[in-house]
């Protein structure tokens, strides 16, 4: 079984679920999960976890994201992008300076109402399923953070911009909100996710490129091992006397390891043989390293 992460460059026309299904066929294993949904018409970085790395899906999903988007002003659709039904068309009366000011006003913390056409669930049902039934339900605004916003080009009514934002930020909704602020409406024309956490578009590979690597026997070149995903975490190799604790996924006393940490610090623990076993969290009060995520070789 392959254990690790492959950075997929999702292409237009595929859902994130499609990517996982196709990758299962390419690598010939079932245990695969993606780390954050991209719209079918969106493209870009989609980290996919394989084998025991699927335990990291929740951690990797919770990362900042960077996108390059095109906003089309003057058109409002029910999906907030170009795939939807046009609800209104209005003249764009704002000039470039006003458009720039409106876009940059979304820098920082704000509340965003998730779109109806999204995978969020309400009472066990995905919003997009309700939307396709013609139903609209109330959605509570959610806190988001926009860390960076940069206008790349402007040829009104189209604006291309780069945004670095928190998990859970919908760029379609951001485009719609900008359009409403300018009193002309707006929708997302295109979207490319250029970064997800520390992974960038330069690290990503299309499904056909992954398949080619498999056919030439070099698939392992694309697989990032679990422990390499956390370069900032301290590495601790246990002594032979502590191997059994690690093998059983038990807590490890700092005294036995000869290493004390900072309270709440996460570290990578390795077997005396050099094999990576898990991510542990240090608890100062008990002076123990406690298992956070285990990646036991026997699970492979």
């Amino acid at each position: 079984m392959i254990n690790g992460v492959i950075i997929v460059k999702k292409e237009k026309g595929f859902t994130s679920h499609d990517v996982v299904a196709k990758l299962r066929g390419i690598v010939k294993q079932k245990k695969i999960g993606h780390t954050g949904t991209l719209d079918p018409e969106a493209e870009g970085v989609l980290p996919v976890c394989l084998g025991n790395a699927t335990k990291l899906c929740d951690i990797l999903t919770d990362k900042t994201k960077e996108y390059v988007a095109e906003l089309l002003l003057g058109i409002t659709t029910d999906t907030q992008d170009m795939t939807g039904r046009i609800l209104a068309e209005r003249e764009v009366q704002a000039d470039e300076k006003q458009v720039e000011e409106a876009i940059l006003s979304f820098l920082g913390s704000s509340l965003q109402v998730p779109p109806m056409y999204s995978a969020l669930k309400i009472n066990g049902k995905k919003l997009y399923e309700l939307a396709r039934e013609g139903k609209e339900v109330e959605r509570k605004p959610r806190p988001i953070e926009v860390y960076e916003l940069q206008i790349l080009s402007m040829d009104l009514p189209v604006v291309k911009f780069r945004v670095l934002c928190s998990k859970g930020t919908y760029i379609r909704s951001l485009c719609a909100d900008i359009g409403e602020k300018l009193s002309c409406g707006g929708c997302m024309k295109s979207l490319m996710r250029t970064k997800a956490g520390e992974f960038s578009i330069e690290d990503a590979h299309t499904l056909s490129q992954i398949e080619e690597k498999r056919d030439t026997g070099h698939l392992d070149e694309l697989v990032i091992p679990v422990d390499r995903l956390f370069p900032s975490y301290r590495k601790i190799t246990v002594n032979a006397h502590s191997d059994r604790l690690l093998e059983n996924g038990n807590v490890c006393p700092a005294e036995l390891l000869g290493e004390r940490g900072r309270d709440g610090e996460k570290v990578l623990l390795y077997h005396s043989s050099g094999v990576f076993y898990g991510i542990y969290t240090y608890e100062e009060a008990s002076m123990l390293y406690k298992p956070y995520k285990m990646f036991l070789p026997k699970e492979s």
Side-chain angles (χ1 to χ4, degrees), residues 256-272:
L256 270 182
L257 301 189
E259 296 245 16
R260 285 180 63 176
R262 301 181 312 276
D263 192 45
E265 178 189 9
K266 288 185 174 58
V267 299
L268 306 176
L269 253 59
Y270 293 78
H271 195 269
S272 64

Side-chain angles (χ1 to χ4, degrees), residues 64-70 103 106-108 144-152 160-166 169-172 174-175 178 188 191-195:
T64 58
K65 311 287 195 306
E66 181 188 77
Y67 300 91
V68 170
E70 282 186 310
I103 291 173
F106 286 87
L107 265 169
I144 63 163
E145 185 83 26
V146 174
Y147 305 105
E148 296 177 17
L149 254 178
Q150 177 189 11
I151 295 172
L152 301 176
K160 188 175 184 179
F161 64 91
R162 179 185 69 84
V163 56
L164 182 69
C165 55
S166 61
T169 304
Y170 286 91
I171 308 304
R172 281 181 290 132
L174 179 60
C175 288
I178 293 168
M188 189 178 73
L191 184 67
M192 166 80 78
R193 184 194 280 163
T194 48
K195 282 185 181 177

